[in-house]
Amino acid sequence: MPLIASAFASGLIFGLGLIVSQMVNPAKVIGFLDLFGRWDPSLAFVMGGAVAVSALGFAVARRRRVPLLAPRLEVPARRDLDPRLLAGAALFGIGWGLAGFCPGPALTMLLAGPWQVPVFVASMIAGMALFRVMPADWPEAAFRRRASEADG
Amino acid sequence: METFTPVSALAGGLTIGAAVALFLVLNGRVAGISGILGGLLSPARGEVGWRVAFLAGLLVAPFVHVAAGGVLPAISIEASPGLLVLAGLLVGFGTRLGSGCTSGHGVCGIGRASPRSLAATGIFMATAVATVFVTRHILGI
């Protein structure tokens, strides 16, 4: 139960931060991404502030080793760069640039925003579901097939 | 519209960082929104409750903000419905393929100096800037 309550509190505080920072407004996000137009640098301050406090949180969490409410720290351990990571980030960036929405702000405004928000969130969940039905070895297996065909 | 808002941006950023730090120190997890949502599509035992709770916190945030006397920022969505659907598909698929989004890679990953997250953030920032350049200044949509 405490795990649930703390997750709810974290989500709530996260959402409040997205609202206060105006990250929930796609026009504001696109203003930041529009380097070659009327650039609005505000979101650099959002990222800067968030990263500074999150770095502090990681330092504390690592020192304590064990979280206060959970049996262990579950932080991703991989350090390698693979095609999935790079291609996924590239596709996400294109989608982010098209609408100005990333997952956090879209979910935060799902019940309180205009009708476009549920349209975006439904498509986002469909995109996640589409990824789930892709074969587990995709796209690496396709790359390997290509390579061996080229060899042959 | 007031365009450059460094004070509210920094205040919001510090709040987001506080949420990440709290979640990490209490629950031992990274607050990556796409991962928290995506995990619900293939639910594992004991993994559903906290995910739903975190997302519920996000969903009620605007109502709590207003109840506390705050004003919601104006939401201006310029993309057409077709473009929104395409954007949503790309964001959903891309964040699962790339194991993270602005929160997981951009805030949490950079906060712990992860090489994967630094690379992912550099790439999604670059493709997002390029996409805005093409749509705004070349295609004019």
Side-chain angles (χ1 to χ4, degrees):
Chain A
M1 210 53 203
L3 266 178
I4 303 277
S6 57
F8 177 80
S10 306
L12 173 61
I13 296 168
F14 201 111
L16 291 173
L18 291 171
I19 292 165
V20 169
S21 66
Q22 298 184 48
M23 272 285 281
V24 291
N25 180 11
K28 185 90 180 159
V29 173
I30 293 194
F32 174 71
L33 296 172
D34 194 8
L35 281 186
F36 307 100
R38 268 187 68 196
W39 187 50
D40 172 7
S42 305
L43 294 197
F45 289 74
V46 184
M47 285 292 278
V51 166
V53 182
S54 107
L56 212 68
F58 278 102
V60 171
R62 288 226 166 90
R63 255 185 86 142
R64 295 191 40 91
R65 286 166 195 275
V66 180
L68 285 167
L69 303 175
R72 63 190 166 273
L73 210 53
E74 302 206 25
V75 172
R78 281 182 68 173
R79 300 178 63 82
D80 62 305
L81 306 184
D82 64 318
R84 285 182 160 236
L85 176 84
L86 308 177
L91 292 179
F92 162 52
I94 295 170
W96 191 32
L98 283 178
F101 264 136
C102 54
L107 288 170
T108 301
M109 294 315 290
L110 181 63
L111 303 179
W115 61 270
Q116 288 103 326
V117 188
V119 171
F120 176 85
V121 170
S123 326
M124 179 172 84
I125 292 171
M128 290 181 166
L130 188 66
F131 174 73
R132 263 203 71 207
V133 300
M134 299 299 285
D137 61 351
W138 174 92
E140 288 87 346
F143 279 125
R144 273 200 302 276
R145 269 200 304 279
R146 275 270 175 81
S148 60
E149 278 163 17
D151 290 344
Chain B
M1 187 178 102
E2 186 190 2
T3 48
F4 182 45
T5 50
V7 176
S8 59
L10 187 63
L14 295 172
T15 310
I16 293 167
V20 168
L22 187 75
F23 196 48
L24 194 70
V25 172
L26 294 178
N27 289 32
R29 292 196 178 256
V30 167
I33 312 289
S34 57
I36 293 175
L37 175 64
L40 283 178
L41 296 182
S42 35
R45 254 181 93 93
E47 292 278 305
V48 173
W50 68 265
R51 289 177 194 273
V52 171
F54 188 100
L55 297 176
L58 280 183
L59 293 178
V60 302
F63 305 101
V64 172
H65 184 74
V66 169
V71 177
L72 290 180
I75 307 293
S76 167
I77 301 168
E78 287 154 14
S80 64
L83 217 51
L84 273 176
V85 169
L86 176 65
L89 288 170
L90 285 167
V91 167
F93 191 88
T95 50
R96 296 312 285 151
L97 180 63
S99 337
C101 57
T102 346
S103 51
H105 283 312
V107 177
C108 300
I110 293 183
R112 63 192 174 85
S114 151
R116 279 170 65 83
S117 293
L118 287 165
T121 305
I123 290 175
F124 70 63
M125 283 287 180
T127 56
V129 165
T131 301
V132 170
F133 179 75
V134 169
T135 51
R136 269 212 174 168
H137 302 297
I138 296 180
L139 301 175
I141 49 174

